[in-house]
PDB file of all heavy atoms in Angstrom:
ATOM      1  N   THR A 217       4.789   9.479  16.890  1.00 96.00           N
ATOM      2  CA  THR A 217       5.893  10.412  17.394  1.00 96.00           C
ATOM      3  C   THR A 217       6.296  11.387  16.371  1.00 96.00           C
ATOM      4  O   THR A 217       6.746  12.450  16.570  1.00 96.00           O
ATOM      5  CB  THR A 217       6.990   9.485  17.884  1.00 96.00           C
ATOM      6  OG1 THR A 217       6.471   8.576  18.899  1.00 96.00           O
ATOM      7  CG2 THR A 217       8.220  10.359  18.474  1.00 96.00           C
ATOM      8  N   LEU A 218       6.219  10.924  15.058  1.00 96.00           N
ATOM      9  CA  LEU A 218       6.629  11.736  13.922  1.00 96.00           C
ATOM     10  C   LEU A 218       5.481  12.719  13.447  1.00 96.00           C
ATOM     11  O   LEU A 218       5.704  13.443  12.552  1.00 96.00           O
ATOM     12  CB  LEU A 218       7.058  10.931  12.715  1.00 96.00           C
ATOM     13  CG  LEU A 218       8.250  10.164  12.970  1.00 96.00           C
ATOM     14  CD1 LEU A 218       8.511   9.117  11.840  1.00 96.00           C
ATOM     15  CD2 LEU A 218       9.492  10.947  13.186  1.00 96.00           C
ATOM     16  N   GLY A 219       4.372  12.747  14.191  1.00 96.00           N
ATOM     17  CA  GLY A 219       3.377  13.731  13.995  1.00 96.00           C
ATOM     18  C   GLY A 219       2.157  13.241  13.125  1.00 96.00           C
ATOM     19  O   GLY A 219       1.320  14.039  12.640  1.00 96.00           O
ATOM     20  N   PHE A 220       2.049  11.924  12.831  1.00 97.00           N
ATOM     21  CA  PHE A 220       0.965  11.289  12.106  1.00 97.00           C
ATOM     22  C   PHE A 220      -0.252  10.829  12.952  1.00 97.00           C
ATOM     23  O   PHE A 220       0.067  10.603  14.159  1.00 97.00           O
ATOM     24  CB  PHE A 220       1.446  10.149  11.253  1.00 97.00           C
ATOM     25  CG  PHE A 220       2.244  10.455  10.054  1.00 97.00           C
ATOM     26  CD1 PHE A 220       3.530  10.953  10.208  1.00 97.00           C
ATOM     27  CD2 PHE A 220       1.730  10.415   8.830  1.00 97.00           C
ATOM     28  CE1 PHE A 220       4.393  11.271   9.126  1.00 97.00           C
ATOM     29  CE2 PHE A 220       2.498  10.724   7.692  1.00 97.00           C
ATOM     30  CZ  PHE A 220       3.849  11.271   7.864  1.00 97.00           C
ATOM     31  N   THR A 221      -1.450  10.948  12.541  1.00 97.00           N
ATOM     32  CA  THR A 221      -2.598  10.615  13.405  1.00 97.00           C
ATOM     33  C   THR A 221      -3.248   9.360  12.680  1.00 97.00           C
ATOM     34  O   THR A 221      -3.471   9.362  11.503  1.00 97.00           O
ATOM     35  CB  THR A 221      -3.522  11.778  13.279  1.00 97.00           C
ATOM     36  OG1 THR A 221      -2.957  12.937  13.813  1.00 97.00           O
ATOM     37  CG2 THR A 221      -4.885  11.515  14.070  1.00 97.00           C
ATOM     38  N   PRO A 222      -3.517   8.384  13.470  1.00 97.00           N
ATOM     39  CA  PRO A 222      -4.244   7.229  12.980  1.00 97.00           C
ATOM     40  C   PRO A 222      -5.680   7.606  12.602  1.00 97.00           C
ATOM     41  O   PRO A 222      -6.326   8.324  13.356  1.00 97.00           O
ATOM     42  CB  PRO A 222      -4.276   6.184  14.159  1.00 97.00           C
ATOM     43  CG  PRO A 222      -3.974   7.018  15.401  1.00 97.00           C
ATOM     44  CD  PRO A 222      -3.273   8.304  14.917  1.00 97.00           C
ATOM     45  N   MET A 223      -6.088   7.241  11.393  1.00 96.00           N
ATOM     46  CA  MET A 223      -7.440   7.544  10.904  1.00 96.00           C
ATOM     47  C   MET A 223      -8.441   6.468  11.079  1.00 96.00           C
ATOM     48  O   MET A 223      -9.553   6.580  11.343  1.00 96.00           O
ATOM     49  CB  MET A 223      -7.398   8.179   9.509  1.00 96.00           C
ATOM     50  CG  MET A 223      -6.389   9.417   9.370  1.00 96.00           C
ATOM     51  SD  MET A 223      -6.867  10.724  10.481  1.00 96.00           S
ATOM     52  CE  MET A 223      -8.393  11.187   9.714  1.00 96.00           C
ATOM     53  N   LYS A 224      -8.030   5.224  10.352  1.00 96.00           N
ATOM     54  CA  LYS A 224      -8.931   4.121  10.392  1.00 96.00           C
ATOM     55  C   LYS A 224      -8.067   2.867  10.039  1.00 96.00           C
ATOM     56  O   LYS A 224      -7.089   2.902   9.503  1.00 96.00           O
ATOM     57  CB  LYS A 224     -10.004   4.309   9.295  1.00 96.00           C
ATOM     58  CG  LYS A 224      -9.611   4.132   7.863  1.00 96.00           C
ATOM     59  CD  LYS A 224     -10.704   4.346   6.945  1.00 96.00           C
ATOM     60  CE  LYS A 224     -10.165   4.161   5.432  1.00 96.00           C
ATOM     61  NZ  LYS A 224     -11.207   4.102   4.549  1.00 96.00           N
ATOM     62  N   ASP A 225      -8.662   1.740  10.562  1.00 97.00           N
ATOM     63  CA  ASP A 225      -8.132   0.485  10.175  1.00 97.00           C
ATOM     64  C   ASP A 225      -9.047  -0.285   9.166  1.00 97.00           C
ATOM     65  O   ASP A 225     -10.224   0.040   9.106  1.00 97.00           O
ATOM     66  CB  ASP A 225      -7.979  -0.496  11.392  1.00 97.00           C
ATOM     67  CG  ASP A 225      -6.938   0.018  12.288  1.00 97.00           C
ATOM     68  OD1 ASP A 225      -6.285   0.865  12.075  1.00 97.00           O
ATOM     69  OD2 ASP A 225      -6.774  -0.837  13.329  1.00 97.00           O
ATOM     70  N   GLU A 226      -8.427  -0.991   8.299  1.00 96.00           N
ATOM     71  CA  GLU A 226      -9.144  -1.681   7.230  1.00 96.00           C
ATOM     72  C   GLU A 226      -8.520  -3.014   7.080  1.00 96.00           C
ATOM     73  O   GLU A 226      -7.283  -3.080   7.090  1.00 96.00           O
ATOM     74  CB  GLU A 226      -8.983  -0.795   5.909  1.00 96.00           C
ATOM     75  CG  GLU A 226      -9.805  -1.207   4.801  1.00 96.00           C
ATOM     76  CD  GLU A 226      -9.689  -0.212   3.682  1.00 96.00           C
ATOM     77  OE1 GLU A 226      -8.801   0.656   3.688  1.00 96.00           O
ATOM     78  OE2 GLU A 226     -10.384  -0.392   2.667  1.00 96.00           O
ATOM     79  N   THR A 227      -9.388  -4.041   6.700  1.00 97.00           N
ATOM     80  CA  THR A 227      -8.765  -5.372   6.364  1.00 97.00           C
ATOM     81  C   THR A 227      -9.271  -5.744   4.942  1.00 97.00           C
ATOM     82  O   THR A 227     -10.314  -5.563   4.584  1.00 97.00           O
ATOM     83  CB  THR A 227      -9.370  -6.432   7.315  1.00 97.00           C
ATOM     84  OG1 THR A 227      -9.022  -6.126   8.676  1.00 97.00           O
ATOM     85  CG2 THR A 227      -8.826  -7.845   6.952  1.00 97.00           C
ATOM     86  N   ILE A 228      -8.217  -6.070   4.085  1.00 94.00           N
ATOM     87  CA  ILE A 228      -8.519  -6.434   2.716  1.00 94.00           C
ATOM     88  C   ILE A 228      -8.093  -7.895   2.666  1.00 94.00           C
ATOM     89  O   ILE A 228      -7.010  -8.307   2.586  1.00 94.00           O
ATOM     90  CB  ILE A 228      -7.535  -5.678   1.671  1.00 94.00           C
ATOM     91  CG1 ILE A 228      -7.612  -4.142   2.053  1.00 94.00           C
ATOM     92  CG2 ILE A 228      -7.824  -6.002   0.325  1.00 94.00           C
ATOM     93  CD1 ILE A 228      -9.034  -3.535   1.679  1.00 94.00           C
ATOM     94  N   LEU A 229      -9.162  -8.755   2.760  1.00 94.00           N
ATOM     95  CA  LEU A 229      -9.022 -10.150   2.769  1.00 94.00           C
ATOM     96  C   LEU A 229      -8.387 -10.775   1.488  1.00 94.00           C
ATOM     97  O   LEU A 229      -7.384 -11.587   1.498  1.00 94.00           O
ATOM     98  CB  LEU A 229     -10.253 -10.852   2.969  1.00 94.00           C
ATOM     99  CG  LEU A 229     -10.825 -10.647   4.354  1.00 94.00           C
ATOM    100  CD1 LEU A 229     -12.360 -11.322   4.470  1.00 94.00           C
ATOM    101  CD2 LEU A 229     -10.036 -11.194   5.542  1.00 94.00           C
ATOM    102  N   ASP A 230      -8.629 -10.160   0.338  1.00 90.00           N
ATOM    103  CA  ASP A 230      -8.104 -10.578  -1.036  1.00 90.00           C
ATOM    104  C   ASP A 230      -6.548 -10.342  -1.016  1.00 90.00           C
ATOM    105  O   ASP A 230      -5.808 -11.115  -1.703  1.00 90.00           O
ATOM    106  CB  ASP A 230      -8.796  -9.904  -2.156  1.00 90.00           C
ATOM    107  CG  ASP A 230     -10.231 -10.144  -2.375  1.00 90.00           C
ATOM    108  OD1 ASP A 230     -10.651 -11.092  -1.806  1.00 90.00           O
ATOM    109  OD2 ASP A 230     -10.904  -9.475  -3.171  1.00 90.00           O
ATOM    110  N   GLN A 231      -6.100  -9.401  -0.293  1.00 91.00           N
ATOM    111  CA  GLN A 231      -4.739  -9.075  -0.278  1.00 91.00           C
ATOM    112  C   GLN A 231      -3.916  -9.667   0.865  1.00 91.00           C
ATOM    113  O   GLN A 231      -2.793  -9.556   1.094  1.00 91.00           O
ATOM    114  CB  GLN A 231      -4.433  -7.554  -0.328  1.00 91.00           C
ATOM    115  CG  GLN A 231      -4.958  -6.889  -1.508  1.00 91.00           C
ATOM    116  CD  GLN A 231      -4.193  -7.188  -2.715  1.00 91.00           C
ATOM    117  OE1 GLN A 231      -2.959  -7.415  -2.748  1.00 91.00           O
ATOM    118  NE2 GLN A 231      -4.855  -7.346  -3.855  1.00 91.00           N
ATOM    119  N   GLY A 232      -4.820 -10.251   1.910  1.00 96.00           N
ATOM    120  CA  GLY A 232      -4.197 -10.741   3.184  1.00 96.00           C
ATOM    121  C   GLY A 232      -3.528  -9.822   3.864  1.00 96.00           C
ATOM    122  O   GLY A 232      -2.481 -10.061   4.478  1.00 96.00           O
ATOM    123  N   VAL A 233      -4.161  -8.545   4.202  1.00 97.00           N
ATOM    124  CA  VAL A 233      -3.422  -7.463   4.837  1.00 97.00           C
ATOM    125  C   VAL A 233      -4.458  -6.735   5.768  1.00 97.00           C
ATOM    126  O   VAL A 233      -5.681  -6.479   5.370  1.00 97.00           O
ATOM    127  CB  VAL A 233      -2.690  -6.553   3.915  1.00 97.00           C
ATOM    128  CG1 VAL A 233      -3.716  -5.788   3.013  1.00 97.00           C
ATOM    129  CG2 VAL A 233      -1.813  -5.594   4.602  1.00 97.00           C
ATOM    130  N   LYS A 234      -3.914  -6.306   6.792  1.00 98.00           N
ATOM    131  CA  LYS A 234      -4.650  -5.339   7.690  1.00 98.00           C
ATOM    132  C   LYS A 234      -3.956  -4.010   7.604  1.00 98.00           C
ATOM    133  O   LYS A 234      -2.737  -3.870   7.660  1.00 98.00           O
ATOM    134  CB  LYS A 234      -4.695  -5.782   9.191  1.00 98.00           C
ATOM    135  CG  LYS A 234      -5.582  -4.916  10.015  1.00 98.00           C
ATOM    136  CD  LYS A 234      -5.779  -5.577  11.487  1.00 98.00           C
ATOM    137  CE  LYS A 234      -4.809  -6.374  12.094  1.00 98.00           C
ATOM    138  NZ  LYS A 234      -5.172  -6.761  13.450  1.00 98.00           N
ATOM    139  N   ILE A 235      -4.621  -2.959   7.327  1.00 97.00           N
ATOM    140  CA  ILE A 235      -4.126  -1.653   6.968  1.00 97.00           C
ATOM    141  C   ILE A 235      -4.536  -0.663   8.096  1.00 97.00           C
ATOM    142  O   ILE A 235      -5.652  -0.549   8.510  1.00 97.00           O
ATOM    143  CB  ILE A 235      -4.605  -1.031   5.670  1.00 97.00           C
ATOM    144  CG1 ILE A 235      -4.192  -2.099   4.559  1.00 97.00           C
ATOM    145  CG2 ILE A 235      -4.016   0.240   5.367  1.00 97.00           C
ATOM    146  CD1 ILE A 235      -4.764  -1.804   3.250  1.00 97.00           C
ATOM    147  N   ARG A 236      -3.607   0.240   8.599  1.00 98.00           N
ATOM    148  CA  ARG A 236      -3.884   1.322   9.491  1.00 98.00           C
ATOM    149  C   ARG A 236      -3.469   2.595   8.723  1.00 98.00           C
ATOM    150  O   ARG A 236      -2.360   2.813   8.418  1.00 98.00           O
ATOM    151  CB  ARG A 236      -3.059   1.226  10.763  1.00 98.00           C
ATOM    152  CG  ARG A 236      -3.342   2.459  11.641  1.00 98.00           C
ATOM    153  CD  ARG A 236      -3.194   2.251  13.040  1.00 98.00           C
ATOM    154  NE  ARG A 236      -4.031   1.069  13.568  1.00 98.00           N
ATOM    155  CZ  ARG A 236      -3.640   0.281  14.499  1.00 98.00           C
ATOM    156  NH1 ARG A 236      -2.508   0.475  15.204  1.00 98.00           N
ATOM    157  NH2 ARG A 236      -4.395  -0.677  14.976  1.00 98.00           N
ATOM    158  N   HIS A 237      -4.400   3.326   8.362  1.00 97.00           N
ATOM    159  CA  HIS A 237      -4.215   4.733   7.624  1.00 97.00           C
ATOM    160  C   HIS A 237      -3.804   5.748   8.660  1.00 97.00           C
ATOM    161  O   HIS A 237      -4.473   5.983   9.624  1.00 97.00           O
ATOM    162  CB  HIS A 237      -5.445   5.201   6.952  1.00 97.00           C
ATOM    163  CG  HIS A 237      -6.067   4.172   5.956  1.00 97.00           C
ATOM    164  ND1 HIS A 237      -5.725   4.245   4.637  1.00 97.00           N
ATOM    165  CD2 HIS A 237      -6.879   3.116   6.025  1.00 97.00           C
ATOM    166  CE1 HIS A 237      -6.328   3.299   3.987  1.00 97.00           C
ATOM    167  NE2 HIS A 237      -6.996   2.410   4.801  1.00 97.00           N
ATOM    168  N   MET A 238      -2.651   6.324   8.278  1.00 98.00           N
ATOM    169  CA  MET A 238      -1.986   7.454   9.191  1.00 98.00           C
ATOM    170  C   MET A 238      -2.025   8.659   8.343  1.00 98.00           C
ATOM    171  O   MET A 238      -1.449   8.651   7.326  1.00 98.00           O
ATOM    172  CB  MET A 238      -0.670   7.025   9.681  1.00 98.00           C
ATOM    173  CG  MET A 238      -0.556   5.629  10.394  1.00 98.00           C
ATOM    174  SD  MET A 238      -1.249   5.631  12.045  1.00 98.00           S
ATOM    175  CE  MET A 238      -0.169   6.746  12.895  1.00 98.00           C
ATOM    176  N   LYS A 239      -2.455   9.726   8.914  1.00 97.00           N
ATOM    177  CA  LYS A 239      -2.515  11.130   8.265  1.00 97.00           C
ATOM    178  C   LYS A 239      -1.487  11.991   8.723  1.00 97.00           C
ATOM    179  O   LYS A 239      -1.366  12.259   9.990  1.00 97.00           O
ATOM    180  CB  LYS A 239      -3.912  11.668   8.498  1.00 97.00           C
ATOM    181  CG  LYS A 239      -4.184  13.004   7.831  1.00 97.00           C
ATOM    182  CD  LYS A 239      -4.469  12.826   6.365  1.00 97.00           C
ATOM    183  CE  LYS A 239      -4.893  14.089   5.770  1.00 97.00           C
ATOM    184  NZ  LYS A 239      -4.085  14.584   4.780  1.00 97.00           N
ATOM    185  N   GLY A 240      -0.784  12.577   7.933  1.00 95.00           N
ATOM    186  CA  GLY A 240       0.204  13.563   8.201  1.00 95.00           C
ATOM    187  C   GLY A 240      -0.380  14.967   7.880  1.00 95.00           C
ATOM    188  O   GLY A 240      -1.542  15.161   7.831  1.00 95.00           O
TER     189      GLY A 240
END
Side-chain angles (χ1 to χ4, degrees):
T217 301
L218 293 171
F220 286 73
T221 304
M223 301 303 290
K224 69 175 182 173
D225 284 5
E226 185 176 10
T227 300
I228 309 294
L229 294 176
D230 292 348
Q231 299 290 323
V233 67
K234 189 166 29 169
I235 301 169
R236 179 157 302 151
H237 299 267
M238 303 290 293
K239 180 83 170 113

